[in-house]
């Protein structure tokens, strides 16, 4: 059942309910006038006074019950009760549907008192009075039970409506949070891909410009490497954007880079003009793709910063130490600048810390004592990962 359907079930009647109450009051009055034959107008006035308050029974149920009870008491004193007194049962039913337990009980006691007084004033003996009390009490009980059941049903429907609205709000919040998380992930991936590959291409093109006269044969190799780097960047961009496109064949998926691609990354930085050494120790774990991607992106971002900020003549080293429970990586360079490459709040450094935190890891980035810059990260291998496979000797 939808929220709108629940609202329609639980909503007040409005104009339609007023017409229904008017028809009910008219029916009760007509039945009373047809059943009772009088010559005077007092009985008719009392009958009208009994049924007329029913028009407001939904807005003020307890007040309407009190008015009808008072009119019925007057009628019992001056004349014999008529069928119009059944309006009192309708009013009591309305109280039971819309009021709490205490008010319903008070109305029930007042109604029972009226029944007893009616039995005393209209009966011809004790046995007759008992029959009247039993019959009218049975009608009053039925009206009360029906009203209480309807009230309970409305409470259940109201609870279901509130629960459905709460679940709908929670679902919207979850969708919004998922969108923000996905945007952050895609922005981080875009930054890593674009910043790294463009930095490599700029370094290659700058190197080619310096050597275009002295070593034209090296210019050709640098431009070919820049072209390959650009095509690789386009491929990764297509993969990222393919996830966002709706296609009948599904997104264009491709394997994400992992630990085994770090050597290719190091080679790419070497071609860009920064000598980089790579050391792998321990057994390379068969880790989740997300963990391998996080490690790859951390190394990529750190080497990109080295390429952009370390300066001419700088060298770098990448050390990857694999264990069964943790994987540690360190990227150090010999650059002269002691300032953080992206600032303390840069998106690159922040992205590296976020990637490490996802896998219960930590990341430190800062200047080295002897000059240069160092990035160290330690990420936990999930317990569900399969046993590590031996790495090839290097």
């Amino acid at each position: 059942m939808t929220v709108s359907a629940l609202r329609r079930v639980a909503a007040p009647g409005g104009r339609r309910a007023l017409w229904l109450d008017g028809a009910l009051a008219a029916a009760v009055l007509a039945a009373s006038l047809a059943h009772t034959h009088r010559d005077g107008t007092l009985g008719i006035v009392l009958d009208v006074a009994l049924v007329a308050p029913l028009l407001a029974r939904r807005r003020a149920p307890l007040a309407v019950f009190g008015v009808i009870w008072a009119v019925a008491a007057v009628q019992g004193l001056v004349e014999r009760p008529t069928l119009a007194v059944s309006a009192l049962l309708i009013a009591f039913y309305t109280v039971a549907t819309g009021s709490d337990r205490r008010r319903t009980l008070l109305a029930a006691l007042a109604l029972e008192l009226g029944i007893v007084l009616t039995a005393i004033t209209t009966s011809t003996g004790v046995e007759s009075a008992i029959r009247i009390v039993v019959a009218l009490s049975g009608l009053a009980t039925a009206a009360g039970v029906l009203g209480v059941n309807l009230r309970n049903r409305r409470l259940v429907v109201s609870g279901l409506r509130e629960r459905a609205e709460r679940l709908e709000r929670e679902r919207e919040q979850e969708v919004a949070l998922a969108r923000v998380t996905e945007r952050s992930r895609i922005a981080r991936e875009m930054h890593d891909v674009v910043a790294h590959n463009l930095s490599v291409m700029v370094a290659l093109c700058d190197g080619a410009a310096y050597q275009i006269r002295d070593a034209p044969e090296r210019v050709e190799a640098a431009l070919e490497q820049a072209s390959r780097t650009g095509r690789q960047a386009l491929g990764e961009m297509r993969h990222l954007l393919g996830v966002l496109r709706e296609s009948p064949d599904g997104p264009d998926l491709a394997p994400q880079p992992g630990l085994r691609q770090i050597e290719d990354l190091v080679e790419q930085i070497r071609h860009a003009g920064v000598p980089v050494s790579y050391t792998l120790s321990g057994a390379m774990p068969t880790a989740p793709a997300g963990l391998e991607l996080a490690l790859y992106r951390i190394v990529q971002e750190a080497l990109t910063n080295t390429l952009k900020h370390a300066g001419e003549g700088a060298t770098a080293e990448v050390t990857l130490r694999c264990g069964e429970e943790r994987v540690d990586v360190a990227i150090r360079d010999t650059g002269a600048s002691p300032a953080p490459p992206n600032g303390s709040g840069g998106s690159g450094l922040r992205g590296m810390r976020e990637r490490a935190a996802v896998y219960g890891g930590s990341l430190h980035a800062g200047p080295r004592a002897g000059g240069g810059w160092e990035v160290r990260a330690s990420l936990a291998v999930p317990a569900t990962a399969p046993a590590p496979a031996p790495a090839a000797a290097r």
Side-chain angles (χ1 to χ4, degrees):
M1 184 178 291
T2 63
V3 174
S4 59
L6 291 173
R7 285 200 184 103
R8 289 196 296 271
V9 172
R15 185 182 298 272
R16 181 182 177 186
L18 182 61
W19 281 102
L20 290 176
D21 290 340
L24 178 62
V28 173
L29 179 60
S32 178
L33 294 177
H35 182 267
T36 307
H37 302 282
R38 295 190 181 93
D39 295 331
T41 59
L42 180 59
I44 297 176
V45 172
L46 289 174
D47 284 353
V48 173
L50 281 170
V51 301
L54 291 178
L55 296 175
R57 69 186 183 94
R58 298 176 191 267
R59 294 188 293 274
L62 202 60
V64 168
F65 176 83
V67 171
I68 296 178
W69 191 94
V71 175
V74 172
Q75 186 187 59
L77 292 175
V78 300
E79 289 193 6
R80 291 183 62 84
T82 63
L83 284 178
V85 80
S86 60
L88 191 59
L89 294 175
I90 298 174
F92 176 60
Y93 164 81
T94 307
V95 170
T97 60
S99 302
D100 56 23
R101 184 177 301 177
R102 184 178 62 86
R103 294 181 179 181
T104 302
L105 182 59
L106 291 176
L109 293 176
L111 180 60
E112 190 64 25
L113 176 61
I115 290 172
V116 172
L117 293 177
T118 300
I120 293 174
T121 57
T122 59
S123 63
T124 57
V126 176
E127 186 177 348
S128 175
I130 292 175
R131 285 200 300 269
I132 292 174
V133 169
V134 171
L136 294 181
S137 297
L139 292 176
T141 301
V145 169
L146 289 175
V148 170
N149 286 341
L150 180 60
R151 183 185 65 191
N152 293 337
R153 178 178 175 273
R154 286 177 176 173
L155 290 175
V156 171
V157 172
S158 177
L160 290 175
R161 181 186 63 192
E162 293 177 359
R163 182 173 180 269
E165 291 175 347
R166 185 176 66 254
L167 291 175
E168 189 171 343
R169 288 194 301 270
E170 291 176 355
R171 183 181 61 184
E172 291 175 355
Q173 292 172 355
E174 290 176 356
V175 170
L177 180 60
R179 287 174 178 171
V180 171
T181 303
E182 187 63 14
R183 287 194 188 104
S184 299
R185 186 192 69 81
I186 293 174
R188 192 165 54 240
E189 289 291 319
M190 295 278 284
H191 172 271
D192 291 342
V193 171
V194 173
H196 169 73
N197 288 289
L198 286 182
S199 297
V200 172
M201 293 171 65
V202 169
L204 288 169
C205 292
D206 287 344
Y210 290 135
Q211 298 177 358
I212 192 169
R213 294 177 180 174
D214 298 334
E217 70 281 355
R218 300 182 64 180
V219 172
E220 182 179 359
L223 293 178
E224 288 179 355
Q225 182 62 32
S227 176
R228 284 196 296 270
T229 303
R231 284 193 293 271
Q232 179 181 346
L234 286 175
E236 294 193 40
M237 290 287 291
R238 289 194 189 100
H239 168 68
L240 289 174
L241 298 178
V243 176
L244 304 178
R245 289 197 301 264
E246 293 184 0
S247 172
D249 299 329
D252 183 15
L253 301 178
Q256 290 279 16
L259 297 180
R260 290 165 178 80
Q261 282 71 44
I262 291 179
E263 188 170 2
D264 297 333
L265 176 64
V266 168
E267 188 65 27
Q268 191 179 55
I269 298 297
R270 288 173 185 156
H271 283 293
V274 178
V276 184
S277 63
Y278 176 43
T279 304
L280 172 65
S281 62
M284 185 177 294
T286 307
L291 175 62
E292 293 198 19
L293 177 62
L295 288 165
Y296 179 89
R297 294 303 187 197
I298 289 173
V299 175
Q300 183 185 52
E301 178 66 23
L303 290 178
T304 300
N305 290 333
T306 296
L307 185 63
K308 292 191 295 185
H309 302 283
E312 187 177 357
T315 61
E317 61 178 15
V318 177
T319 303
L320 182 66
R321 185 168 64 253
C322 301
E324 294 184 3
E325 297 181 355
R326 304 194 72 83
V327 178
D328 301 322
V329 63
I331 306 96
R332 303 179 181 90
D333 64 53
T334 59
S337 173
N342 284 324
S344 59
S347 59
L349 186 58
R350 184 169 60 251
M352 287 192 289
R353 286 202 173 100
E354 290 174 355
R355 291 182 185 278
V358 168
Y359 289 93
S362 60
L363 184 136
H364 168 78
R368 300 172 63 188
W373 193 261
E374 178 182 40
V375 175
R376 297 195 313 273
S378 178
L379 280 66
V381 179
T384 55
R394 295 181 185 274

Short mmCIF file of all heavy atoms in Angstrom, two decimals, residues 185-186 189-190 193 232-245 251-257 293 297:
data_model
loop_
_atom_site.label_atom_id
_atom_site.label_comp_id
_atom_site.label_asym_id
_atom_site.label_seq_id
_atom_site.Cartn_x
_atom_site.Cartn_y
_atom_site.Cartn_z
N ARG A 185 33.78 9.43 -5.42
CA ARG A 185 34.64 8.38 -5.97
C ARG A 185 35.05 8.70 -7.40
O ARG A 185 36.23 8.58 -7.79
CB ARG A 185 33.92 7.04 -5.92
CG ARG A 185 34.81 5.86 -6.34
CD ARG A 185 33.99 4.61 -6.55
NE ARG A 185 33.14 4.73 -7.72
CZ ARG A 185 33.56 4.52 -8.96
NH1 ARG A 185 34.82 4.22 -9.20
NH2 ARG A 185 32.73 4.63 -9.98
N ILE A 186 34.07 9.13 -8.21
CA ILE A 186 34.37 9.42 -9.61
C ILE A 186 35.29 10.63 -9.71
O ILE A 186 36.23 10.66 -10.53
CB ILE A 186 33.06 9.66 -10.39
CG1 ILE A 186 32.26 8.34 -10.47
CG2 ILE A 186 33.34 10.18 -11.78
CD1 ILE A 186 30.90 8.49 -11.08
N GLU A 189 38.74 9.47 -8.92
CA GLU A 189 39.31 8.70 -10.03
C GLU A 189 39.69 9.64 -11.17
O GLU A 189 40.76 9.50 -11.78
CB GLU A 189 38.30 7.67 -10.51
CG GLU A 189 38.08 6.51 -9.55
CD GLU A 189 39.29 5.62 -9.45
OE1 GLU A 189 39.91 5.34 -10.49
OE2 GLU A 189 39.64 5.22 -8.33
N MET A 190 38.81 10.61 -11.47
CA MET A 190 39.10 11.55 -12.55
C MET A 190 40.36 12.35 -12.24
O MET A 190 41.20 12.59 -13.11
CB MET A 190 37.91 12.48 -12.75
CG MET A 190 36.64 11.79 -13.22
SD MET A 190 36.62 11.51 -14.99
CE MET A 190 36.26 13.15 -15.57
N VAL A 193 43.44 10.05 -12.69
CA VAL A 193 43.72 9.74 -14.10
C VAL A 193 44.23 10.97 -14.84
O VAL A 193 45.27 10.96 -15.51
CB VAL A 193 42.46 9.17 -14.78
CG1 VAL A 193 42.67 9.05 -16.28
CG2 VAL A 193 42.12 7.81 -14.19
N GLN A 232 46.19 6.06 -23.27
CA GLN A 232 45.87 5.36 -22.03
C GLN A 232 44.91 6.20 -21.18
O GLN A 232 43.95 5.67 -20.59
CB GLN A 232 47.15 5.08 -21.23
CG GLN A 232 46.89 4.37 -19.90
CD GLN A 232 48.19 4.13 -19.13
OE1 GLN A 232 49.27 4.26 -19.68
NE2 GLN A 232 48.05 3.80 -17.87
N ALA A 233 45.15 7.51 -21.12
CA ALA A 233 44.26 8.38 -20.35
C ALA A 233 42.86 8.38 -20.95
O ALA A 233 41.85 8.34 -20.23
CB ALA A 233 44.82 9.80 -20.31
N LEU A 234 42.77 8.41 -22.28
CA LEU A 234 41.45 8.37 -22.93
C LEU A 234 40.73 7.07 -22.61
O LEU A 234 39.51 7.05 -22.40
CB LEU A 234 41.61 8.54 -24.44
CG LEU A 234 41.93 9.96 -24.93
CD1 LEU A 234 42.17 9.95 -26.43
CD2 LEU A 234 40.79 10.90 -24.59
N GLY A 235 41.48 5.96 -22.62
CA GLY A 235 40.86 4.67 -22.30
C GLY A 235 40.30 4.65 -20.90
O GLY A 235 39.18 4.16 -20.66
N GLU A 236 41.07 5.17 -19.94
CA GLU A 236 40.58 5.18 -18.56
C GLU A 236 39.40 6.13 -18.40
O GLU A 236 38.46 5.86 -17.65
CB GLU A 236 41.72 5.57 -17.61
CG GLU A 236 42.83 4.54 -17.55
CD GLU A 236 43.77 4.80 -16.38
OE1 GLU A 236 43.30 5.17 -15.30
OE2 GLU A 236 44.99 4.62 -16.58
N MET A 237 39.43 7.26 -19.13
CA MET A 237 38.31 8.18 -19.07
C MET A 237 37.05 7.55 -19.65
O MET A 237 35.95 7.71 -19.11
CB MET A 237 38.65 9.46 -19.84
CG MET A 237 39.70 10.32 -19.16
SD MET A 237 39.05 11.16 -17.71
CE MET A 237 37.94 12.31 -18.48
N ARG A 238 37.19 6.82 -20.74
CA ARG A 238 36.02 6.13 -21.32
C ARG A 238 35.45 5.12 -20.34
O ARG A 238 34.23 4.94 -20.24
CB ARG A 238 36.42 5.44 -22.63
CG ARG A 238 36.70 6.38 -23.78
CD ARG A 238 36.75 5.61 -25.09
NE ARG A 238 37.23 6.45 -26.17
CZ ARG A 238 38.47 6.44 -26.62
NH1 ARG A 238 39.37 5.63 -26.08
NH2 ARG A 238 38.83 7.24 -27.61
N HIS A 239 36.34 4.45 -19.61
CA HIS A 239 35.86 3.48 -18.63
C HIS A 239 35.07 4.16 -17.52
O HIS A 239 33.99 3.71 -17.14
CB HIS A 239 37.04 2.73 -18.03
CG HIS A 239 36.69 1.92 -16.81
ND1 HIS A 239 35.89 0.81 -16.86
CD2 HIS A 239 37.00 2.10 -15.51
CE1 HIS A 239 35.73 0.33 -15.64
NE2 HIS A 239 36.40 1.09 -14.80
N LEU A 240 35.59 5.28 -17.01
CA LEU A 240 34.89 5.99 -15.95
C LEU A 240 33.55 6.54 -16.42
O LEU A 240 32.53 6.41 -15.75
CB LEU A 240 35.76 7.12 -15.41
CG LEU A 240 36.98 6.71 -14.59
CD1 LEU A 240 37.82 7.94 -14.27
CD2 LEU A 240 36.55 6.02 -13.31
N LEU A 241 33.55 7.16 -17.59
CA LEU A 241 32.32 7.74 -18.11
C LEU A 241 31.34 6.68 -18.58
O LEU A 241 30.13 6.88 -18.58
CB LEU A 241 32.63 8.70 -19.26
CG LEU A 241 33.50 9.91 -18.87
CD1 LEU A 241 33.80 10.77 -20.09
CD2 LEU A 241 32.80 10.74 -17.81
N GLY A 242 31.86 5.52 -18.98
CA GLY A 242 30.97 4.44 -19.42
C GLY A 242 30.10 3.93 -18.30
O GLY A 242 28.99 3.45 -18.53
N VAL A 243 30.58 4.01 -17.07
CA VAL A 243 29.77 3.58 -15.93
C VAL A 243 28.57 4.50 -15.76
O VAL A 243 27.50 4.08 -15.32
CB VAL A 243 30.63 3.57 -14.64
CG1 VAL A 243 29.79 3.23 -13.43
CG2 VAL A 243 31.77 2.58 -14.79
N LEU A 244 28.73 5.79 -16.14
CA LEU A 244 27.65 6.76 -15.96
C LEU A 244 26.63 6.70 -17.09
O LEU A 244 25.50 7.15 -16.90
CB LEU A 244 28.23 8.17 -15.89
CG LEU A 244 29.29 8.40 -14.80
CD1 LEU A 244 29.79 9.82 -14.87
CD2 LEU A 244 28.71 8.11 -13.43
N ARG A 245 27.00 6.19 -18.25
CA ARG A 245 26.07 6.15 -19.37
C ARG A 245 25.14 4.96 -19.27
O ARG A 245 25.54 3.86 -18.88
CB ARG A 245 26.84 6.07 -20.70
CG ARG A 245 27.55 7.34 -21.08
CD ARG A 245 27.91 7.32 -22.55
NE ARG A 245 28.78 6.18 -22.85
CZ ARG A 245 30.10 6.25 -22.91
NH1 ARG A 245 30.70 7.39 -22.67
NH2 ARG A 245 30.82 5.20 -23.20
N PRO A 251 27.32 -0.92 -18.90
CA PRO A 251 28.48 -0.03 -18.96
C PRO A 251 29.69 -0.72 -19.58
O PRO A 251 29.81 -1.95 -19.55
CB PRO A 251 28.73 0.31 -17.49
CG PRO A 251 28.12 -0.82 -16.73
CD PRO A 251 26.94 -1.28 -17.53
N ASP A 252 30.54 0.09 -20.12
CA ASP A 252 31.78 -0.41 -20.72
C ASP A 252 32.78 -0.67 -19.60
O ASP A 252 33.42 0.25 -19.09
CB ASP A 252 32.32 0.62 -21.71
CG ASP A 252 33.57 0.12 -22.42
OD1 ASP A 252 33.82 -1.10 -22.37
OD2 ASP A 252 34.28 0.96 -23.02
N LEU A 253 32.90 -1.92 -19.19
CA LEU A 253 33.74 -2.28 -18.06
C LEU A 253 35.09 -2.80 -18.54
O LEU A 253 35.20 -3.45 -19.58
CB LEU A 253 33.05 -3.35 -17.20
CG LEU A 253 31.69 -2.94 -16.64
CD1 LEU A 253 31.09 -4.10 -15.84
CD2 LEU A 253 31.82 -1.72 -15.75
N ALA A 254 36.10 -2.54 -17.74
CA ALA A 254 37.45 -3.03 -18.03
C ALA A 254 38.15 -3.25 -16.71
O ALA A 254 37.80 -2.64 -15.70
CB ALA A 254 38.22 -2.01 -18.89
N PRO A 255 39.15 -4.14 -16.69
CA PRO A 255 39.85 -4.39 -15.43
C PRO A 255 40.50 -3.11 -14.90
O PRO A 255 41.12 -2.36 -15.64
CB PRO A 255 40.90 -5.44 -15.81
CG PRO A 255 40.38 -6.07 -17.07
CD PRO A 255 39.64 -4.97 -17.79
N GLN A 256 40.38 -2.89 -13.59
CA GLN A 256 41.03 -1.75 -12.96
C GLN A 256 42.50 -2.08 -12.70
O GLN A 256 42.85 -3.23 -12.48
CB GLN A 256 40.33 -1.42 -11.64
CG GLN A 256 38.94 -0.84 -11.80
CD GLN A 256 38.98 0.65 -12.12
OE1 GLN A 256 40.02 1.18 -12.50
NE2 GLN A 256 37.85 1.32 -11.98
N PRO A 257 43.36 -1.05 -12.71
CA PRO A 257 44.77 -1.32 -12.42
C PRO A 257 44.95 -1.81 -10.99
O PRO A 257 44.19 -1.47 -10.10
CB PRO A 257 45.44 0.04 -12.65
CG PRO A 257 44.35 1.04 -12.51
CD PRO A 257 43.11 0.36 -13.00
N LEU A 293 43.46 -1.35 -6.28
CA LEU A 293 43.27 -0.06 -6.94
C LEU A 293 43.69 1.08 -6.03
O LEU A 293 44.31 2.05 -6.48
CB LEU A 293 41.80 0.10 -7.36
CG LEU A 293 41.43 1.44 -8.00
CD1 LEU A 293 42.19 1.64 -9.30
CD2 LEU A 293 39.93 1.53 -8.24
N ARG A 297 46.56 3.77 -6.97
CA ARG A 297 46.29 5.20 -7.06
C ARG A 297 47.17 6.01 -6.11
O ARG A 297 47.57 7.14 -6.42
CB ARG A 297 44.81 5.47 -6.77
CG ARG A 297 43.83 4.92 -7.79
CD ARG A 297 44.12 5.43 -9.17
NE ARG A 297 43.06 5.02 -10.11
CZ ARG A 297 43.20 5.03 -11.42
NH1 ARG A 297 44.34 5.41 -11.97
NH2 ARG A 297 42.20 4.65 -12.21
#
